[in-house]
Amino acid sequence: LRAGFVQGPGASFGIDGPELDRDRMLLGTGFATRYLDRYAFFLNYLADVAGSDRHHALAATLRVEW
């Protein structure tokens, strides 16, 4: 990848990285529940899957209202 900045049109730089597949599958699921109208719990999972690489993310949130 070759890139540059608008303010310095003569200066460009290159970035080398792995070759990633353009065909990808993005999967996600989540769960949410409340308890006693004060507490809420959220759990989310996200997967980005391709032949060249895989990325997984898991997020959990506890919300307390008063």
Side-chain angles (χ1 to χ4, degrees):
L1 172 67
R2 298 295 302 167
F5 295 103
V6 174
Q7 297 297 325
S12 64
F13 56 92
I15 299 173
D16 295 322
E19 293 291 328
L20 301 177
D21 287 343
R22 292 181 56 118
D23 295 331
R24 309 186 79 73
M25 181 171 50
L26 186 62
L27 301 171
T29 188
F31 172 78
T33 188
R34 292 189 65 87
Y35 179 69
L36 297 177
D37 291 334
R38 285 191 62 194
Y39 304 97
F41 178 72
F42 305 93
L43 183 65
N44 296 302
Y45 171 74
L46 181 65
D48 183 3
V49 181
S52 61
D53 60 312
R54 294 181 181 155
H55 302 277
H56 301 274
L58 182 66
T61 303
L62 175 62
R63 183 186 309 172
V64 180
E65 299 174 359
W66 63 90

